[in-house]
Amino acid sequence: MPLTQRCFQCLTAVRNRRVKLLLNPAVTRCCSTVQGDVRVRFAPSPTGFLHLGGLRTALYNYIFAKKYGGSFVLRLEDTDQSRLVSGAAESIEDMLEWAGVPPDESPRRGGSVGPYLQSQRLDLYNQTAQELLESNHAYYCFCSSQRLSLLKKEALRTGQTPRYDNRCRHLRAEQVQEKLAQGVPHVIRFRLEAGVEPFQDLIFGWNHHEVAQVEGDPVVIKADGFPTYHLANIVDDHYMMISHVLRGSEWLISTSKHLLMYRALGWQPPTFGHLPLLMNKDGSKLSKRQGDIFIQSYKRDGVLPEALLDITTNCGSGFNTNRIGRRIDELISEFNPSKITTHSALLDLEKLPEFNRIHLQHRIEDEEQCHLLIKDLQAQIQQACTAEIQEEEVLHEDYIRRVLHLRKGHISSLTELVSPAYSYLWVRPSVSSHQVAALTAEAQHIASLVLKLIAERGEELAVDPLSKDLKTLAKQTKATKHREVMKLLRLALSGLQVPEDILDPNQITQKINKRRLFS
């Protein structure tokens, strides 16, 4: 389908507290034509905690709002009372704020079109359902759960897709009134009709689903008086003046159903854009049952929020460039909705440490953020090894700043610096004479040479001169080669015997500057 046929529905004036949308076929899929008030929403259900897929949806909505000077609304769809998870509602907003995508309006922040919890808007949904009943676009359904279960079992037995048979839409008015008077449990169903108009999705282009041919009439008010998603989301989007609905592509097939409800109520629908799903790198579904995809777990493990935002956009589409290291202001400036593709975004979480390494380096190089890192690392050091610390200077801000700048680009998180591999930075290592003797019999001679070198160079030690000096020093031994001299220094300064770059010349310089040599 030509790109020019996949144009935006541009915003015009706000009238009667609603944003009117017009289709302009001459406009390509480019948001530079967006006019008027842009209002988008993220509407998760607090039946669980925020995970990567939800964060990505929220992020695209946030970026869209900020790109076009609009508002980002958080609405919690808590109408499924049986599945609510304690603390999830508060945690969702906490994690959005931690991630750097705070809502402009929310249950916590408030706003002019609240309340932002659906459970506090029940009167509005029931009022709308009554309007649908009065206009004959909805009807009472008295079918028992047992009957519905039998319908489903029979459909599965015959290889058909389970669907309601619309039995109660044919009840006479007097039959309905009699059952209501008897207090028979009931729901309210929306009457699906043929003749759904095609709609233009910002990402998937023109779509058309004759839902009446494949689905039974959907429930809009449940027996407990709470609305289903299908009714509540359109009511809220209408009264909250949402201009664009950006949600996961799993809702694409339901949009025609929602447009029938908009038409039945005489409301102008928002512009829809369905985002391709976030998947594992092998193409499998990113399941909420994977404990490591919840944002809380990443925060706990020291992952930086900007690294999460970067990796979830880097694996997808919708930006003018595709590079590692973008921060939120760059994501907003480079955002281009016309570049969002329809194929799924494959997330490779094995690359997350690399993203975190780059963003940690950015923080270290920023003076204000580096100060916050220092405070964080001070607390981690005290918690990890307070009892073993012999020198208080390791907790001083200047020393920790030097460590951070020394290791920037090498570490992926602050937690690495309090791991056993880096404990020598905070705790004087314990080295046995047996370990030293296993490397060379000239340990004392080498120690005296190094101490002499320190005395001669004073505080002017630097990496390149020191490397040269240590090579010269090694020539003054009888049987110890330069390689063994370096091993000995690593052991004495860190307690580590591995030859890899766990203690490179930069670190040896720093440790010698601190005079941490064998006694």
Side-chain angles (χ1 to χ4, degrees):
M1 181 177 294
L3 185 61
T4 54
Q5 293 183 6
R6 301 173 64 185
C7 56
F8 268 98
Q9 292 184 333
C10 301
L11 295 174
T12 57
V14 178
R15 298 176 183 173
N16 298 323
R17 292 180 58 80
R18 285 295 299 147
V19 178
K20 301 298 182 180
L21 303 174
L22 297 177
L23 184 65
N24 183 352
V27 179
T28 60
R29 200 160 60 97
C30 174
C31 267
S32 61
T33 59
V34 172
Q35 302 170 4
D37 291 344
V38 170
R39 289 177 59 80
V40 296
R41 48 76 163 177
F42 175 52
S45 172
T47 54
F49 296 93
L50 185 65
H51 57 92
L52 276 176
L55 177 62
R56 176 173 174 268
T57 300
L59 174 61
Y60 273 80
N61 276 278
Y62 178 87
I63 290 174
F64 189 94
K66 301 312 169 186
K67 179 78 173 183
Y68 302 108
S71 298
F72 171 52
V73 177
L74 172 65
R75 181 177 74 226
L76 295 179
E77 301 191 342
D78 61 341
T79 56
D80 192 345
Q81 296 286 295
S82 64
R83 296 177 57 228
L84 295 183
V85 174
S86 177
E90 296 79 8
S91 177
I92 288 171
E93 191 156 0
D94 287 342
M95 291 301 98
L96 288 177
E97 292 177 354
W98 172 79
V101 288
D104 299 299
E105 303 169 28
S106 69
R108 181 178 298 167
R109 293 171 181 256
S112 61
V113 293
Y116 296 87
L117 284 170
Q118 285 188 336
S119 58
Q120 298 175 5
R121 301 168 65 87
L122 298 184
D123 288 345
L124 186 59
Y125 307 133
N126 282 289
Q127 173 189 324
T128 305
Q130 287 300 315
E131 293 177 14
L132 291 172
L133 286 168
E134 292 169 5
S135 62
N136 202 36
H137 287 102
Y139 60 91
Y140 291 104
C141 174
F142 302 94
C143 291
S144 66
S145 58
Q146 292 85 352
R147 180 178 186 274
L148 297 176
S149 179
L150 288 174
L151 281 176
K152 181 177 180 180
K153 289 180 180 179
E154 180 61 20
L156 293 174
R157 187 187 68 81
T158 57
Q160 299 177 350
T161 302
R163 55 181 293 185
Y164 178 57
D165 60 0
N166 297 347
R167 175 182 181 180
C168 287
R169 74 149 65 183
H170 306 295
L171 292 175
R172 298 189 305 275
E174 58 269 24
Q175 291 176 299
V176 172
Q177 291 304 316
E178 180 181 355
K179 289 180 180 293
L180 289 175
Q182 295 173 351
V184 178
H186 61 273
V187 299
I188 299 176
R189 291 182 182 271
F190 178 73
R191 194 186 299 269
L192 293 179
E193 302 291 355
V196 178
E197 296 178 2
F199 71 95
Q200 190 170 39
D201 189 83
L202 296 182
I203 298 163
F204 285 81
W206 288 104
N207 272 263
H208 176 254
H209 302 285
E210 281 291 353
V211 287
Q213 296 179 4
V214 294
E215 297 184 32
D217 292 336
V219 174
V220 290
I221 297 290
K222 296 178 288 186
D224 60 4
F226 280 78
T228 61
Y229 170 85
H230 299 299
L231 178 67
N233 92 91
I234 69 162
V235 170
D236 288 339
D237 287 345
H238 173 75
Y239 285 104
M240 291 183 177
M241 298 179 289
I242 299 303
S243 64
H244 295 75
V245 171
L246 305 180
R247 59 188 179 185
S249 59
E250 69 269 25
W251 292 108
L252 182 62
I253 197 169
S254 297
T255 305
S256 290
K257 184 191 308 179
H258 299 157
L259 289 173
L260 284 174
M261 294 185 188
Y262 276 107
R263 187 169 70 185
L265 291 163
W267 295 345
Q268 184 71 37
T271 300
F272 290 95
H274 289 85
L275 300 167
L277 295 180
L278 187 65
M279 312 284 282
N280 292 312
K281 66 176 182 178
D282 62 359
S284 61
K285 186 177 181 180
L286 199 67
S287 172
K288 295 180 183 180
R289 294 180 177 86
Q290 295 173 238
D292 60 349
I293 71 166
F294 289 101
I295 307 306
Q296 285 178 317
S297 66
Y298 292 111
K299 180 175 184 273
R300 181 195 63 227
D301 294 340
V303 175
L304 298 177
E306 52 266 42
L308 284 180
L309 302 187
D310 195 7
I311 195 171
T312 53
T313 52
N314 183 273
C315 71
S317 54
F319 299 87
N320 291 326
T321 66
N322 189 33
R323 56 186 174 84
I324 298 178
R326 293 175 298 181
R327 288 166 281 197
I328 188 64
D329 56 336
E330 296 170 301
L331 290 174
I332 293 170
S333 65
E334 295 181 13
F335 182 58
N336 186 346
S338 67
K339 291 185 177 293
I340 300 178
T341 59
T342 58
H343 59 75
S344 298
L346 302 183
L347 178 65
D348 186 358
L349 287 174
E350 293 179 1
K351 295 180 179 179
L352 184 55
E354 173 66 8
F355 281 82
N356 214 56
R357 180 187 66 79
I358 291 172
H359 285 283
L360 181 57
Q361 181 171 343
H362 288 166
R363 285 200 176 193
I364 293 172
E365 292 171 349
D366 181 277
E367 184 175 348
E368 183 177 343
Q369 291 186 330
C370 184
H371 179 72
L372 297 177
L373 292 176
I374 291 169
K375 296 299 182 185
D376 187 358
L377 188 51
Q378 282 175 329
Q380 291 192 41
I381 296 166
Q382 289 176 313
Q383 183 177 4
C385 48
T386 298
E388 294 84 10
I389 293 177
Q390 296 107 336
E391 299 163 272
E392 291 187 2
E393 67 176 13
V394 300
L395 293 174
H396 290 176
E397 185 172 323
D398 289 343
Y399 175 68
I400 295 179
R401 180 181 286 105
R402 287 171 58 199
V403 170
L404 288 173
H405 280 276
L406 180 70
R407 298 314 296 157
K408 69 179 180 182
H410 295 271
I411 58 171
S412 294
S413 70
L414 290 187
T415 56
E416 291 182 42
L417 292 177
V418 291
S419 68
Y422 284 101
S423 64
Y424 62 84
L425 290 169
W426 326 113
V427 178
R428 185 186 294 273
S430 177
V431 180
S432 69
S433 57
H434 176 75
Q435 289 176 295
V436 172
L439 290 175
T440 177
E442 298 182 275
Q444 291 300 324
H445 177 53
I446 294 172
S448 63
L449 291 174
V450 173
L451 290 171
K452 181 181 178 182
L453 174 63
I454 292 173
E456 291 175 351
R457 296 291 184 269
E459 298 297 327
E460 299 180 359
L461 290 174
V463 175
D464 292 337
L466 178 60
S467 297
K468 183 178 180 181
D469 288 340
L470 290 175
K471 290 179 181 179
T472 302
L473 182 150
K475 295 177 181 178
Q476 300 176 47
T477 64
K478 294 180 180 180
T480 307
K481 297 181 180 179
H482 176 259
R483 182 177 179 182
E484 278 64 43
V485 169
M486 297 301 292
K487 285 183 179 180
L488 182 62
L489 288 175
R490 288 189 182 96
L491 177 63
L493 299 175
S494 70
L496 302 171
Q497 299 189 48
V498 291
E500 289 83 4
D501 185 31
I502 288 181
L503 192 67
D504 63 18
N506 283 283
Q507 294 165 286
I508 290 177
T509 303
Q510 182 184 35
K511 299 300 289 181
I512 290 180
N513 272 319
K514 287 181 59 59
R515 296 351 188 232
R516 291 192 176 180
L517 295 172
F518 22 70
S519 57

